[in-house]
Amino acid sequence: MLIYVSGGAGSGKSAFAEGLVVQSGIKERFYIATMEPFGEEAAQRIARHRALRQGKGFATCECPRDLSALPLQGGCAALLEDLTNLFANEWFSQRPEGAAERVLAGLQYLKDTAALAVVVGNDLFSDGLPYDGETLRYLRALAALNQEAAAMAEEVYEVVCGIPLRRK
């Protein structure tokens, strides 16, 4: 089963996603971390997420790109944190062409391998700011990827102010 969880920064989406995995009762739990630790702010966010997961039975797998090559045990629970970072890593450090296809292949791999795959995505589309052409191209591709991930998922949640709203 694939569950897609989306929300803005600080919305509570990560805590909700972790809760879904823990409440599943699946003992073999993998946290798939996609953020590359560039700079102090990223290091602080990573440390915060590690502290929040402590004691919940997650084994952490660092996977900033090429999700479909990650060796996972069949029947496990996998939490991907997060789709936005994974896509940015594929887009900017690999190449934009085929980035969405590579990420979608990885999501299909998670769906096929894990008994439960929970994917967290970020809402980057509500700020109302104008963007230059290249940034707008990336954001449009990310929006299309989010739509594809939601279409693949059996359940979709949007978390707003700590409140999960089931959308599918």
Side-chain angles (χ1 to χ4, degrees):
M1 170 180 251
L2 179 69
I3 299 174
Y4 181 66
V5 178
S6 181
S11 65
K13 64 188 175 295
S14 296
F16 175 70
E18 287 174 14
L20 290 172
V21 172
V22 171
Q23 292 166 14
S24 75
I26 299 170
K27 299 297 180 204
E28 200 71 33
R29 300 175 187 152
F30 294 95
Y31 181 95
I32 305 167
T34 62
M35 180 180 272
E36 295 189 274
F38 293 124
E40 183 58 32
E41 183 181 340
Q44 289 174 1
R45 288 184 68 200
I46 290 168
R48 180 180 167 272
H49 277 260
R50 282 187 180 146
L52 290 171
R53 285 194 311 276
Q54 198 158 5
K56 295 179 182 174
F58 285 96
T60 300
C61 303
E62 303 290 337
C63 186
R65 64 190 61 74
D66 198 14
L67 180 60
S68 57
L70 183 68
L72 280 181
Q73 288 184 322
C76 68
L79 172 58
L80 176 72
E81 180 81 39
D82 65 54
L83 186 64
T84 307
N85 282 330
L86 180 64
F87 183 62
N89 295 340
E90 290 282 352
W91 180 279
F92 292 109
S93 63
Q94 298 283 326
R95 62 191 186 287
E97 297 75 22
E101 291 77 12
R102 293 189 300 274
V103 171
L104 288 169
L107 293 182
Q108 188 63 54
Y109 165 71
L110 281 184
K111 186 175 180 175
D112 292 344
T113 305
L116 173 64
V118 179
V119 176
V120 176
N122 293 301
D123 177 0
L124 301 181
F125 313 103
S126 302
D127 60 10
L129 298 174
Y131 290 100
D132 64 68
E134 187 58 30
T135 303
L136 194 56
R137 179 174 166 237
Y138 166 75
L139 287 173
R140 286 183 176 143
L142 177 61
L145 175 65
N146 287 343
Q147 290 173 349
E148 290 286 336
M152 287 176 71
E154 284 82 10
E155 295 179 17
V156 176
Y157 294 89
E158 178 185 12
V159 180
V160 180
C161 298
I163 302 167
L165 306 169
R166 187 169 178 173
R167 300 298 188 192
K168 177 180 172 185

